[in-house]
Amino acid sequence: QLVESGGGLVQAGGSLTLSCTASGRSFSSYGLAWFRRIPGKEIPGKEREFIGGISFKDDMTSYGDSAKGRFTISRDNAKKKVSLQMNTLKPEDTAIYYCAAEWHGVGSDHYPLYDYWGQGTQVTVSS
């Protein structure tokens, strides 16, 4: 089970850190990622936009274009937690953010690969 927290309302230019805590064992064996969804604006075949991912094997990270240079994904296996530090937020970052876990994953941008999902946390950026 994955549980996100840290969403909320922030002004444009501000920062927010999302956290996702897992229950169960073998957390370190999962690749992890953050995706987001804007209700009513989903693109068929790409309903969830990839934000960032981190590999189970070597902590290698990757980011979607909208996140590069502004967002940072990290993991703490001892705390079974994955975080997303978001800086320089823009109104277009307003969305529901989800964390996801894939067994032996590399933090892929392909959301059907993921085995587990959190319930999502709302991030709203005001202009």
Side-chain angles (χ1 to χ4, degrees), residues 4-124:
E4 300 99 338
S5 61
L9 175 64
V10 64
Q11 287 189 330
S15 298
L16 208 57
T17 300
L18 304 182
S19 295
C20 174
T21 303
S23 58
R25 298 182 290 179
S26 304
F27 179 81
S28 61
S29 296
Y30 284 85
L32 304 163
W34 288 92
F35 291 82
R36 69 187 182 190
R37 181 175 67 90
I38 303 174
K41 294 187 177 181
E42 294 92 342
I43 299 172
K46 196 179 178 184
E47 285 79 4
R48 300 194 177 188
E49 179 188 1
F50 175 72
I51 300 302
I54 185 165
S55 172
F56 87 100
K57 187 166 52 177
D58 52 12
D59 286 356
M60 184 170 292
T61 59
S62 61
Y63 296 92
D65 289 340
S66 60
K68 288 177 182 175
R70 299 189 299 131
F71 296 179
T72 302
I73 186 172
S74 60
R75 65 188 297 162
D76 185 332
N77 289 336
K79 295 182 178 179
K80 297 183 182 179
K81 185 169 75 171
V82 57
S83 300
L84 183 69
Q85 173 68 42
M86 304 187 294
N87 298 324
T88 321
L89 283 161
K90 306 173 183 179
E92 50 265 42
D93 293 318
T94 295
I96 302 171
Y97 285 72
Y98 300 87
C99 65
E102 178 196 5
W103 176 254
H104 282 190
V106 296
S108 168
D109 63 355
H110 192 50
Y111 70 84
L113 291 176
Y114 287 83
D115 303 303
Y116 300 100
W117 292 85
Q119 82 288 352
T121 186
Q122 176 71 46
V123 171
T124 303

